[in-house]
Amino acid sequence: MTNPGDSDEWWKQYGGEGVTPETPPATPQQPAPPPAGYASAAQYQNPPLTPPPQPVYPNYPPPQANPTPSYPAAGQQPPAYGYPGYQPYGYGPPVQQTNSLAIASLVVSIIGVPAMFFCAFLPVVSIVGLVLGIVALNQLKNTQQQGRGLALGGVWVGAISIVLGLALFLILIIAGSTGSS
């Protein structure tokens, strides 16, 4: 235990008791006199004999020995843990679903545009897309689903392809009737 850094060395350095010194202690040094203008004795204040007054806290009812647990009524959800407004880690806000008829109306209306050229300019598939879009818009008024833009897209694409199909069909009929005479 004579190596520098041992716990006994540290203890002795800072005036620890109970450790036998290996060398006799040096004579205690007298403190240097204070500089001129200062009092010769340390000016310490004695602590007050009575403790300071304690702050007064509001009176709360004493805790009950065995509180009865409260359960939610039938059909009610128990309160969630944590702070209100925060979602637990790993869970996001609930995702709203998109109306399937709105998706179908846009898809069918888009398919109806090229299908019109293969069916002698008859916009049958586009009519189905237009009807699906109108039904989807009516459903979206009553539900909290998403897909209003898809339904409107299906209605507009279906309506435009119906107008184009009928115009091309009329041009085909007029060209066929004038060319045969």
mmCIF file of all heavy atoms in Angstrom, residues 29-55:
data_model
loop_
_atom_site.group_PDB
_atom_site.id
_atom_site.type_symbol
_atom_site.label_atom_id
_atom_site.label_comp_id
_atom_site.label_asym_id
_atom_site.label_seq_id
_atom_site.Cartn_x
_atom_site.Cartn_y
_atom_site.Cartn_z
ATOM 1 N N GLN A 29 1.433 23.346 10.511
ATOM 2 C CA GLN A 29 1.806 24.689 10.082
ATOM 3 C C GLN A 29 0.845 25.690 10.717
ATOM 4 O O GLN A 29 -0.356 25.445 10.808
ATOM 5 C CB GLN A 29 1.718 24.791 8.562
ATOM 6 C CG GLN A 29 2.615 23.829 7.840
ATOM 7 C CD GLN A 29 3.946 24.467 7.513
ATOM 8 O OE1 GLN A 29 4.046 25.674 7.451
ATOM 9 N NE2 GLN A 29 4.964 23.651 7.330
ATOM 10 N N GLN A 30 1.355 26.793 11.128
ATOM 11 C CA GLN A 30 0.535 27.860 11.658
ATOM 12 C C GLN A 30 -0.027 28.634 10.465
ATOM 13 O O GLN A 30 0.685 28.895 9.501
ATOM 14 C CB GLN A 30 1.376 28.794 12.546
ATOM 15 C CG GLN A 30 1.842 28.166 13.838
ATOM 16 C CD GLN A 30 0.676 27.936 14.802
ATOM 17 O OE1 GLN A 30 -0.338 28.601 14.726
ATOM 18 N NE2 GLN A 30 0.840 26.961 15.676
ATOM 19 N N PRO A 31 -1.304 29.005 10.495
ATOM 20 C CA PRO A 31 -1.837 29.771 9.367
ATOM 21 C C PRO A 31 -1.179 31.131 9.317
ATOM 22 O O PRO A 31 -0.794 31.704 10.326
ATOM 23 C CB PRO A 31 -3.328 29.865 9.657
ATOM 24 C CG PRO A 31 -3.481 29.583 11.110
ATOM 25 C CD PRO A 31 -2.317 28.723 11.501
ATOM 26 N N ALA A 32 -1.042 31.626 8.120
ATOM 27 C CA ALA A 32 -0.418 32.930 7.920
ATOM 28 C C ALA A 32 -1.325 34.013 8.476
ATOM 29 O O ALA A 32 -2.554 33.882 8.412
ATOM 30 C CB ALA A 32 -0.168 33.167 6.445
ATOM 31 N N PRO A 33 -0.745 35.054 9.034
ATOM 32 C CA PRO A 33 -1.605 36.118 9.566
ATOM 33 C C PRO A 33 -2.337 36.817 8.437
ATOM 34 O O PRO A 33 -1.845 36.886 7.313
ATOM 35 C CB PRO A 33 -0.609 37.059 10.257
ATOM 36 C CG PRO A 33 0.707 36.761 9.658
ATOM 37 C CD PRO A 33 0.662 35.339 9.224
ATOM 38 N N PRO A 34 -3.537 37.294 8.706
ATOM 39 C CA PRO A 34 -4.309 37.969 7.655
ATOM 40 C C PRO A 34 -3.655 39.281 7.270
ATOM 41 O O PRO A 34 -2.931 39.876 8.047
ATOM 42 C CB PRO A 34 -5.673 38.180 8.291
ATOM 43 C CG PRO A 34 -5.434 38.164 9.748
ATOM 44 C CD PRO A 34 -4.258 37.258 9.974
ATOM 45 N N PRO A 35 -3.899 39.720 6.039
ATOM 46 C CA PRO A 35 -3.335 40.993 5.617
ATOM 47 C C PRO A 35 -3.925 42.147 6.418
ATOM 48 O O PRO A 35 -4.947 42.013 7.088
ATOM 49 C CB PRO A 35 -3.717 41.099 4.157
ATOM 50 C CG PRO A 35 -4.531 39.921 3.831
ATOM 51 C CD PRO A 35 -4.597 39.041 5.018
ATOM 52 N N ALA A 36 -3.256 43.263 6.332
ATOM 53 C CA ALA A 36 -3.680 44.419 7.111
ATOM 54 C C ALA A 36 -5.066 44.863 6.681
ATOM 55 O O ALA A 36 -5.411 44.820 5.512
ATOM 56 C CB ALA A 36 -2.683 45.560 6.926
ATOM 57 N N GLY A 37 -5.861 45.275 7.617
ATOM 58 C CA GLY A 37 -7.194 45.754 7.327
ATOM 59 C C GLY A 37 -8.264 44.699 7.505
ATOM 60 O O GLY A 37 -9.449 44.977 7.389
ATOM 61 N N TYR A 38 -7.878 43.473 7.784
ATOM 62 C CA TYR A 38 -8.843 42.406 7.975
ATOM 63 C C TYR A 38 -8.827 42.004 9.435
ATOM 64 O O TYR A 38 -7.819 42.093 10.117
ATOM 65 C CB TYR A 38 -8.516 41.186 7.108
ATOM 66 C CG TYR A 38 -8.755 41.423 5.637
ATOM 67 C CD1 TYR A 38 -7.710 41.741 4.781
ATOM 68 C CD2 TYR A 38 -10.040 41.332 5.118
ATOM 69 C CE1 TYR A 38 -7.923 41.966 3.449
ATOM 70 C CE2 TYR A 38 -10.259 41.558 3.777
ATOM 71 C CZ TYR A 38 -9.209 41.875 2.944
ATOM 72 O OH TYR A 38 -9.438 42.089 1.617
ATOM 73 N N ALA A 39 -9.935 41.481 9.915
ATOM 74 C CA ALA A 39 -9.996 41.015 11.296
ATOM 75 C C ALA A 39 -9.156 39.765 11.424
ATOM 76 O O ALA A 39 -9.014 38.986 10.489
ATOM 77 C CB ALA A 39 -11.443 40.737 11.682
ATOM 78 N N SER A 40 -8.591 39.583 12.593
ATOM 79 C CA SER A 40 -7.693 38.447 12.783
ATOM 80 C C SER A 40 -8.440 37.141 12.972
ATOM 81 O O SER A 40 -7.912 36.078 12.688
ATOM 82 C CB SER A 40 -6.769 38.699 13.971
ATOM 83 O OG SER A 40 -7.562 38.848 15.143
ATOM 84 N N ALA A 41 -9.645 37.155 13.439
ATOM 85 C CA ALA A 41 -10.396 35.920 13.653
ATOM 86 C C ALA A 41 -11.391 35.737 12.505
ATOM 87 O O ALA A 41 -11.908 36.696 11.943
ATOM 88 C CB ALA A 41 -11.134 35.969 14.979
ATOM 89 N N ALA A 42 -11.637 34.494 12.197
ATOM 90 C CA ALA A 42 -12.607 34.199 11.147
ATOM 91 C C ALA A 42 -13.987 34.617 11.616
ATOM 92 O O ALA A 42 -14.357 34.387 12.759
ATOM 93 C CB ALA A 42 -12.588 32.728 10.801
ATOM 94 N N GLN A 43 -14.707 35.236 10.741
ATOM 95 C CA GLN A 43 -16.034 35.738 11.096
ATOM 96 C C GLN A 43 -17.083 34.729 10.628
ATOM 97 O O GLN A 43 -17.567 34.792 9.527
ATOM 98 C CB GLN A 43 -16.266 37.097 10.422
ATOM 99 C CG GLN A 43 -15.287 38.155 10.806
ATOM 100 C CD GLN A 43 -15.414 38.532 12.279
ATOM 101 O OE1 GLN A 43 -16.520 38.593 12.802
ATOM 102 N NE2 GLN A 43 -14.288 38.764 12.918
ATOM 103 N N TYR A 44 -17.382 33.779 11.463
ATOM 104 C CA TYR A 44 -18.392 32.778 11.154
ATOM 105 C C TYR A 44 -19.637 33.088 11.943
ATOM 106 O O TYR A 44 -19.574 33.489 13.105
ATOM 107 C CB TYR A 44 -17.912 31.371 11.486
ATOM 108 C CG TYR A 44 -16.728 30.937 10.659
ATOM 109 C CD1 TYR A 44 -15.490 30.726 11.254
ATOM 110 C CD2 TYR A 44 -16.860 30.744 9.298
ATOM 111 C CE1 TYR A 44 -14.412 30.335 10.502
ATOM 112 C CE2 TYR A 44 -15.781 30.354 8.537
ATOM 113 C CZ TYR A 44 -14.559 30.147 9.145
ATOM 114 O OH TYR A 44 -13.492 29.754 8.398
ATOM 115 N N GLN A 45 -20.758 32.860 11.332
ATOM 116 C CA GLN A 45 -22.006 33.054 12.051
ATOM 117 C C GLN A 45 -22.441 31.730 12.620
ATOM 118 O O GLN A 45 -22.341 30.686 11.962
ATOM 119 C CB GLN A 45 -23.089 33.576 11.104
ATOM 120 C CG GLN A 45 -22.838 34.975 10.606
ATOM 121 C CD GLN A 45 -23.971 35.419 9.690
ATOM 122 O OE1 GLN A 45 -24.808 34.627 9.320
ATOM 123 N NE2 GLN A 45 -23.972 36.702 9.350
ATOM 124 N N ASN A 46 -22.934 31.752 13.815
ATOM 125 C CA ASN A 46 -23.466 30.539 14.414
ATOM 126 C C ASN A 46 -24.825 30.257 13.796
ATOM 127 O O ASN A 46 -25.629 31.176 13.578
ATOM 128 C CB ASN A 46 -23.600 30.704 15.929
ATOM 129 C CG ASN A 46 -22.252 30.754 16.610
ATOM 130 O OD1 ASN A 46 -21.282 30.233 16.075
ATOM 131 N ND2 ASN A 46 -22.195 31.397 17.769
ATOM 132 N N PRO A 47 -25.113 28.982 13.519
ATOM 133 C CA PRO A 47 -26.432 28.666 12.950
ATOM 134 C C PRO A 47 -27.519 28.953 13.982
ATOM 135 O O PRO A 47 -27.279 28.854 15.180
ATOM 136 C CB PRO A 47 -26.341 27.174 12.625
ATOM 137 C CG PRO A 47 -25.265 26.657 13.484
ATOM 138 C CD PRO A 47 -24.308 27.787 13.704
ATOM 139 N N PRO A 48 -28.705 29.323 13.529
ATOM 140 C CA PRO A 48 -29.785 29.601 14.487
ATOM 141 C C PRO A 48 -30.157 28.329 15.232
ATOM 142 O O PRO A 48 -30.047 27.224 14.722
ATOM 143 C CB PRO A 48 -30.927 30.100 13.606
ATOM 144 C CG PRO A 48 -30.625 29.582 12.246
ATOM 145 C CD PRO A 48 -29.129 29.485 12.161
ATOM 146 N N LEU A 49 -30.584 28.501 16.451
ATOM 147 C CA LEU A 49 -30.926 27.352 17.283
ATOM 148 C C LEU A 49 -32.255 26.734 16.873
ATOM 149 O O LEU A 49 -32.465 25.542 17.044
ATOM 150 C CB LEU A 49 -30.957 27.773 18.755
ATOM 151 C CG LEU A 49 -29.617 28.255 19.315
ATOM 152 C CD1 LEU A 49 -29.793 28.701 20.754
ATOM 153 C CD2 LEU A 49 -28.573 27.166 19.221
ATOM 154 N N THR A 50 -33.169 27.521 16.342
ATOM 155 C CA THR A 50 -34.459 26.967 15.922
ATOM 156 C C THR A 50 -34.450 26.834 14.399
ATOM 157 O O THR A 50 -33.901 27.683 13.698
ATOM 158 C CB THR A 50 -35.612 27.897 16.342
ATOM 159 O OG1 THR A 50 -35.404 29.172 15.748
ATOM 160 C CG2 THR A 50 -35.697 28.025 17.855
ATOM 161 N N PRO A 51 -35.035 25.779 13.886
ATOM 162 C CA PRO A 51 -35.056 25.606 12.428
ATOM 163 C C PRO A 51 -35.967 26.655 11.796
ATOM 164 O O PRO A 51 -36.868 27.180 12.435
ATOM 165 C CB PRO A 51 -35.612 24.192 12.235
ATOM 166 C CG PRO A 51 -36.375 23.907 13.463
ATOM 167 C CD PRO A 51 -35.690 24.661 14.573
ATOM 168 N N PRO A 52 -35.713 26.978 10.524
ATOM 169 C CA PRO A 52 -36.575 27.955 9.860
ATOM 170 C C PRO A 52 -37.988 27.405 9.714
ATOM 171 O O PRO A 52 -38.198 26.188 9.695
ATOM 172 C CB PRO A 52 -35.907 28.132 8.488
ATOM 173 C CG PRO A 52 -35.114 26.904 8.280
ATOM 174 C CD PRO A 52 -34.697 26.450 9.647
ATOM 175 N N PRO A 53 -38.971 28.259 9.601
ATOM 176 C CA PRO A 53 -40.352 27.765 9.479
ATOM 177 C C PRO A 53 -40.538 27.030 8.153
ATOM 178 O O PRO A 53 -39.988 27.406 7.130
ATOM 179 C CB PRO A 53 -41.199 29.040 9.526
ATOM 180 C CG PRO A 53 -40.269 30.140 9.136
ATOM 181 C CD PRO A 53 -38.902 29.711 9.599
ATOM 182 N N GLN A 54 -41.317 25.975 8.231
ATOM 183 C CA GLN A 54 -41.579 25.149 7.053
ATOM 184 C C GLN A 54 -42.683 25.803 6.217
ATOM 185 O O GLN A 54 -43.589 26.424 6.755
ATOM 186 C CB GLN A 54 -42.025 23.739 7.461
ATOM 187 C CG GLN A 54 -40.952 22.963 8.201
ATOM 188 C CD GLN A 54 -39.767 22.664 7.304
ATOM 189 O OE1 GLN A 54 -39.930 22.385 6.133
ATOM 190 N NE2 GLN A 54 -38.571 22.748 7.863
ATOM 191 N N PRO A 55 -42.608 25.666 4.867
ATOM 192 C CA PRO A 55 -43.670 26.244 4.045
ATOM 193 C C PRO A 55 -44.992 25.529 4.298
ATOM 194 O O PRO A 55 -45.023 24.335 4.601
ATOM 195 C CB PRO A 55 -43.178 26.023 2.612
ATOM 196 C CG PRO A 55 -42.177 24.947 2.707
ATOM 197 C CD PRO A 55 -41.583 25.023 4.084
#
